[in-house]
Amino acid sequence: PNPFRSAAQINYSLDGTADEVKIKIFTLSGRLITELDGQTADDVQEVIWDGRDRDGDEVANGVYIYRVQARDRDQELTHTGKIVRSRR
């Protein structure tokens, strides 16, 4: 998992350009917390999640799932990982 306190850094790499990249953050039970727009360029990219939900509230300590979805005309690629929120 990718631990963070105030902001999580999500890195991904594309082999080519994409029409759209979305990063979705979910609880372990599958509830969508927030959705972020990613960069569509061919290279290593970085997206910062501030640890807040769609309403702007800070999420609780715990494990969250992120899903990077890159789409172009012909296909969709998905990568899933874990993030751990730990504020001490």
Side-chain angles (χ1 to χ4, degrees), residues 4 9-10 29 33 35 38 41 48 53 55 59 72 82-83:
F4 75 101
Q9 178 179 325
I10 300 169
S29 64
I33 296 293
E35 185 174 311
I48 303 296
D53 63 16
D55 296 327
V59 299
D72 67 12
K82 293 181 183 178
I83 300 174

Side-chain angles (χ1 to χ4, degrees), residues 2-88:
N2 181 5
F4 75 101
R5 289 188 181 180
S6 60
Q9 178 179 325
I10 300 169
N11 296 313
Y12 62 92
S13 178
L14 299 175
D15 290 337
T17 59
D19 294 330
E20 177 182 62
V21 175
K22 295 286 184 186
I23 296 89
K24 296 180 180 182
I25 312 290
F26 299 90
T27 63
L28 285 178
S29 64
R31 184 173 65 88
L32 179 64
I33 296 293
T34 193
E35 185 174 311
L36 309 168
D37 292 323
Q39 299 294 318
T40 59
D42 166 2
D43 203 354
V44 175
Q45 302 297 328
E46 172 184 291
V47 173
I48 303 296
W49 174 43
D50 63 2
R52 297 183 181 272
D53 63 16
R54 290 184 281 192
D55 296 327
D57 299 323
E58 286 192 32
V59 299
N61 286 347
V63 178
Y64 295 87
I65 304 297
Y66 70 88
R67 182 174 297 141
V68 179
Q69 295 176 306
R71 295 182 188 160
D72 67 12
R73 287 175 256 126
D74 300 327
Q75 67 182 32
E76 178 178 325
L77 300 173
T78 302
H79 172 75
T80 303
K82 293 181 183 178
I83 300 174
V84 176
R85 175 77 187 252
S86 178
R87 293 177 292 181
R88 292 185 184 167

